[in-house]
């Protein structure tokens, strides 16, 4: 007969979570490293009390914004290679709906995070309760149902005993290497506090093996034949390379075959920047070298990529007649994109098998010389963008990136997500180690950087962590600075102030929008926005939240401020004014197109000309069938 332990549902869940582990390649670690929470009615008496009850077993972090707590958990999960993550608990109502953006980000990027939103009463003793959404056609719908489309797994635990299959299902998805993302267990507040006799087996330590599926022999044979036949093959390395820790396998493949490797935003750093086969970022924000090779490639070998529109230049990049695709991906959904031949397998296992199957096959020497020359030419352009020889002038954004590039080592982690910086970083940043380049560009979520830096710092406390934040992003979500101060996490926040939405301003201009609504200006009585920048002091704001702030007005001051921040043992902000929203940041322009539809009819000449340019690019798009 099973031994039983009487606990509330919330107590049982917290105790269960504290005893879940992952294992891959012989390394075992805890799956749920900690729980983030903001308490209100709906979770304070349930999960809140349970976290007090089991404080020694489940670490707790206090957040300021529910969306930011998810970002922190995602940053932690990405840094830990998806083998560990955090849980996030909220109240009902706005606490729960604030999770939606973070959940979408996690699922889009295939990064595991466990969401535990409070929910309305299952027994409905009072209906409606505070913050309850009433749905006239369905009594069992709450705001938590907003999380269904952005979750990889969703369950509402309406009875204590239902927690057992729900919790096990949640763990299965969190540890699935192909189908992971946000996992939501909606917890009615009365059920959280209800007691139940739990079988002790539920609380036994459980290890979830993160598998490495090997490729099918027939697919492997076909893949090897395709590579042997190709004269201009190109690898596109995506985030799956990092997720499966396949960086060494990719390096060995490139060394053995001489095939050049271009990287998506998620895949950058798969090879060190100075590896001979690394040709930089690919797509709209890519390098001229990588995009030139993509246009003439006869075989594109996608490894762990989902082929977003930035990677494919909205279907215009891979333009060679007869180009074929070979996709090595653990997820069949992504493997079959681009009408590819598939190699459905773990990225590391697949690369190792393919390298062995090729038996020393290499590309023609002339092709290797071609891309080596292209790589050298691009490096000279990077050097020119980074050059900062005048110490007494205000830096450009590219020079900010270059000064940071001078300073960091393999240990540093650079975090960014939105604005013009992702493009600059993808083109210019010289990634030195697999976990250094942390740009969230699947959802490109403004406000991700600071909380993600907290998550990374918790996952890798020995590494200097930099959050690169534009003024628009900073204004979206600065609140977790308080959390960094409270936890004494020495993250380094670099605020680049250019007084507007620089990236969207440039895009607006290119599509006939004339930068409308993208600069920060005073509103005149006639409704127009004119005059100089608003008197907003983001440095003072960061200081008011508890950060040490270093102001840098020149290249020389910035160089010293970055050096001082890197050595700081407390949360430190470097504030620098760069170019205004009406100027460019300095790096080479886009090397490939991106589809943003332009008004088909307009009276303003800017939009008319933009449409003519748009139609020219659209004509070059092709579907790979």
């Amino acid at each position: 007969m099973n031994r039983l332990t009487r606990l509330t549902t919330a107590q049982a869940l917290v105790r269960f979570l504290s005893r879940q582990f992952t294992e891959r390649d012989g390394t075992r670690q805890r799956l749920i490293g900690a729980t983030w929470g903001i308490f209100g009615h709906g979770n304070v008496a349930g999960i809140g009390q349970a976290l007090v009850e089991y404080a020694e077993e489940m670490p707790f972090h206090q957040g300021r914004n529910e969306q930011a707590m998810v970002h922190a958990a995602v940053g932690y999960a990405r840094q830990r290679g998806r083998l560990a993550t955090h849980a996030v608990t909220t109240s009902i109502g706005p606490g729960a709906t604030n999770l939606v953006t973070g959940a979408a980000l996690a699922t889009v990027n295939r990064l595991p995070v466990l969401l535990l939103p409070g929910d309305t009463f299952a027994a409905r003793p009072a209906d409606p309760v505070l913050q309850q959404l009433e749905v006239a056609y369905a009594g069992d719908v709450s705001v938590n149902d907003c999380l269904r489309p952005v979750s990889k797994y969703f369950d509402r635990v309406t009875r204590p005993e239902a927690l057992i299959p729900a919790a096990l299902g949640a763990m299965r998805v969190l540890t699935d290497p192909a189908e992971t993302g946000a996992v939501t267990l909606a917890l009615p507040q009365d059920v959280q506090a209800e007691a139940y006799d739990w079988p002790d087996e539920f609380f036994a330590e459980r290890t979830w093996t993160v598998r490495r599926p090997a490729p099918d022999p027939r697919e492997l044979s076909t893949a090897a034949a395709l590579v042997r036949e190709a004269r201009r093959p190109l690898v596109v390395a995506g985030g799956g390379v990092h997720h499966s820790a396949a960086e060494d396998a990719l390096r060995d493949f490139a060394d053995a075959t001489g095939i050049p490797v271009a990287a998506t935003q998620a895949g950058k750093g798969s090879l060190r920047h100075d590896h001979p086969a690394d040709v930089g970022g690919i797509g709209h924000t890519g390098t001229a070298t990588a995009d030139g090779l993509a246009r003439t490639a006869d075989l594109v070998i996608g490894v762990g990529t989902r082929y977003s529109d930035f990677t494919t230049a909205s279907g215009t990049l891979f333009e060679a007649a007869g180009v074929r695709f070979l996709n090595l991906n653990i997820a069949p959904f992504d493997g079959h994109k681009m009408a590819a031949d598939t190699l459905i397998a773990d990225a590391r296992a697949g690369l190792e098998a393919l390298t062995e199957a090729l038996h020393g096959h290499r590309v023609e020497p002339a092709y290797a010389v071609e891309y080596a020359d292209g790589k050298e030419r691009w490096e000279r352009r990077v050097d020119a963008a980074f050059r900062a020889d005048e110490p007494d002038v205000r830096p450009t954004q590219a020079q900010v990136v270059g000064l940071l590039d001078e300073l960091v080592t393999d240990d540093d982690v650079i975090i960014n997500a939105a604005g013009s910086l992702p493009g600059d970083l993808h083109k210019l940043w010289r990634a030195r180690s697999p976990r250094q380049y942390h740009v969230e560009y699947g959802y490109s979520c403004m406000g991700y950087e600071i909380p993600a830096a907290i998550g990374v710092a918790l996952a890798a406390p020995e590494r200097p962590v930099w959050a690169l934040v534009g003024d628009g992003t900073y204004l979206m979500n600065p609140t977790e600075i308080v959390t960094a101060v409270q936890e004494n996490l020495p993250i380094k926040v670099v605020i680049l102030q250019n007084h507007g939405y620089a990236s969207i301003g440039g895009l607006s201009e290119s599509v006939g929008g004339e930068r409308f609504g993208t600069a920060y200006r005073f509103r005149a009585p006639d409704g127009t926005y004119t005059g100089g920048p608003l008197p907003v002091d983001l440095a003072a704001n960061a200081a008011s939240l508890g950060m040490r702030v270093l102001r840098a007005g020149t290249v020389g001051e910035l160089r010293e401020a970055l050096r001082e921040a890197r050595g700081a043992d407390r949360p430190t902000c470097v504030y620098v004014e760069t170019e205004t929203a009406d100027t460019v940041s300095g790096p080479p322009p886009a090397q490939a197109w991106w589809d943003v539809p332009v008004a088909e009819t307009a009276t303003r000449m800017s939009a008319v000309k933009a449409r003519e340019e748009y139609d020219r690019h659209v004509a070059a798009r092709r579907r790979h069938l």
Side-chain angles (χ1 to χ4, degrees):
M1 183 175 180
N2 292 340
R3 293 185 58 188
L4 304 176
T5 300
R6 191 163 184 80
L7 301 172
T8 69
T9 303
Q11 292 165 356
L13 177 58
V14 170
R15 191 176 180 191
F16 169 86
L17 293 177
S18 71
R19 299 179 182 189
Q20 306 303 302
F21 295 82
T22 60
E23 184 276 330
R24 187 175 69 180
D25 303 331
T27 300
R28 185 174 182 263
Q29 59 186 290
R30 182 164 162 160
L31 173 57
I32 307 297
T35 295
W36 288 85
I38 296 176
F39 294 110
H41 91 96
N43 70 337
V44 65
I47 293 290
Q49 190 283 327
L51 289 168
V52 174
E53 191 89 12
Y54 293 102
E56 294 185 1
E57 297 184 36
M58 178 59 71
F60 174 74
H61 301 298
Q62 184 183 47
R64 270 75 201 171
N65 175 281
E66 291 86 358
Q67 177 182 319
M69 294 193 298
V70 184
H71 294 337
V74 166
Y76 180 92
R78 177 167 170 172
Q79 187 64 30
R80 297 295 290 270
R82 305 197 303 179
L83 300 175
T85 187
H86 285 162
V88 178
T89 178
T90 73
S91 63
I92 72 171
T97 52
N98 280 351
L99 295 173
V100 174
T101 296
L105 180 149
T107 296
V108 166
N109 287 283
R110 275 71 156 181
L111 291 166
V113 61
L114 178 61
L115 308 181
L116 305 174
D119 211 330
T120 53
F121 286 83
R124 305 181 193 176
D127 197 27
V129 299
L130 177 66
Q131 299 179 327
Q132 179 178 340
L133 172 72
E134 292 186 274
V135 179
Y137 65 83
D140 62 346
V141 171
S142 78
V143 296
N144 283 325
D145 289 275
C146 294
L147 289 159
R148 288 182 183 272
V150 293
S151 296
K152 279 291 186 178
Y153 181 88
F154 180 99
D155 202 350
R156 178 175 281 111
V157 182
T158 56
R159 289 290 307 144
E161 57 268 35
L163 176 66
I164 294 176
L168 293 171
M171 299 305 104
R172 172 184 58 79
V173 176
L174 288 173
T175 58
D176 190 311
E179 292 297 328
T180 195
V183 169
T184 300
L185 296 182
L187 303 171
Q189 57 181 308
D190 52 345
V191 176
Q192 289 182 47
E194 188 174 346
Y196 182 74
D197 292 325
W198 303 90
D200 283 357
E201 290 85 353
F202 185 54
F203 306 117
E205 287 192 359
R206 190 181 301 264
T207 300
W208 300 82
T209 299
V210 180
R211 58 194 177 277
R212 289 191 180 279
D216 176 83
R218 290 185 61 184
E219 286 194 336
L220 180 61
S221 177
T222 299
L226 287 171
V227 176
R228 288 182 179 280
E229 293 168 4
R231 294 293 173 264
R232 301 184 62 81
L234 173 68
V235 170
V236 176
V241 176
H242 292 309
H243 295 332
S244 65
E247 297 91 355
D248 289 348
L250 178 62
R251 183 197 62 226
D252 292 344
F253 177 82
D255 289 342
T257 64
I259 297 175
V261 176
T264 69
Q265 284 279 15
K268 191 173 173 74
S270 296
L271 289 184
R272 274 185 61 98
H273 72 94
D274 53 3
H275 189 283
D278 179 71
V279 293
I282 191 169
H284 178 61
T285 54
T287 69
T289 309
D291 286 351
L293 292 170
R295 292 186 177 98
T296 59
D298 57 359
L299 178 66
V300 178
I301 306 169
V303 182
T305 179
R306 62 193 186 94
Y307 289 106
S308 76
D309 60 342
F310 260 59
T311 298
T312 67
S314 299
T316 63
L317 187 57
F318 306 109
E319 60 184 31
V323 61
R324 298 185 68 174
F325 293 83
L326 169 63
N327 289 343
L328 166 54
N329 205 297
I330 198 169
F333 176 78
D334 292 314
H336 285 276
K337 290 176 179 177
M338 313 296 281
D341 287 278
T342 60
L343 191 60
I344 304 303
D346 168 79
R348 194 178 84 178
L351 284 167
E352 290 172 346
L354 186 56
T355 303
E356 183 177 352
L358 289 169
H359 300 299
H361 168 79
R362 289 189 63 83
V363 298
E364 293 293 332
Y367 185 47
V369 170
E370 176 190 337
Y371 71 71
D373 289 345
K375 177 181 174 70
E376 184 178 348
R377 287 193 300 274
W378 185 260
E379 286 301 314
R380 290 198 293 269
R381 297 182 75 175
V382 175
D383 289 340
F386 281 175
R387 188 167 296 122
D389 299 330
E390 301 178 59
D392 298 324
V393 301
R394 190 168 72 179
T396 66
Q397 181 167 285
Q399 288 172 330
V400 175
V401 175
L403 291 172
L404 197 55
D405 176 79
E406 287 180 12
L407 178 66
V408 302
T409 70
D410 292 15
D411 293 334
D412 296 66
V413 180
I414 308 299
I415 300 174
N416 185 240
S420 55
L421 267 168
D424 290 1
L425 290 165
H426 198 209
K427 292 189 193 83
L428 304 176
W429 186 257
R430 291 162 169 156
R432 293 157 171 81
S433 59
R435 298 288 172 195
Q436 181 177 83
Y437 187 85
H438 185 130
V439 172
E440 187 286 299
Y441 216 57
Y443 209 48
S444 187
C445 184
M446 295 177 72
Y448 172 80
E449 295 88 344
I450 294 173
I454 291 172
V456 171
L458 290 169
E462 73 285 356
R463 302 186 70 162
V465 181
W466 301 83
L468 307 186
V469 184
D471 51 275
T473 285
Y474 180 86
L475 288 169
M476 284 274 186
N477 196 8
T479 56
E480 297 314 306
I481 285 176
V482 178
T483 302
V485 171
Q486 181 180 28
E487 302 267 353
N488 196 29
L489 296 170
I491 64 170
K492 300 91 174 59
V493 176
V494 181
I495 301 176
L496 294 88
Q497 171 65 281
N498 55 23
H499 302 285
Y501 300 116
S503 174
I504 293 301
L507 179 62
S508 172
E509 185 174 48
S510 72
V511 298
E514 302 177 34
R515 294 185 178 267
F516 176 76
T518 62
Y520 303 153
R521 297 288 188 266
F522 288 101
R523 182 165 186 155
D526 64 356
T528 61
Y529 292 88
T530 59
L534 299 176
V536 176
D537 191 339
L538 301 185
N541 179 264
S544 75
L545 297 176
M547 278 201 125
R548 181 188 179 204
V549 176
L550 305 173
R551 293 177 183 260
T554 66
V555 165
E557 291 172 354
L558 178 60
R559 182 178 275 114
E560 181 57 35
L562 292 173
R563 185 177 294 110
E564 188 173 346
R566 188 176 187 276
D569 60 0
R570 56 174 287 194
T572 302
C573 171
V574 175
Y575 173 87
V576 57
E577 290 208 23
T578 60
E579 302 287 357
T580 67
D582 297 323
T583 61
V584 297
S585 58
Q591 304 297 305
W593 185 59
W594 182 44
D595 188 353
V596 177
V598 177
E600 194 167 1
T601 62
T603 58
R604 299 180 71 86
M605 188 53 62
S606 60
V608 172
K609 291 183 176 180
R611 181 68 194 196
E612 292 173 355
E613 182 71 5
Y614 179 80
D615 289 338
R616 183 178 70 82
H617 284 291
V618 165
R621 176 156 50 207
R622 62 182 290 192
R623 292 191 182 275
H624 298 280
L625 301 171

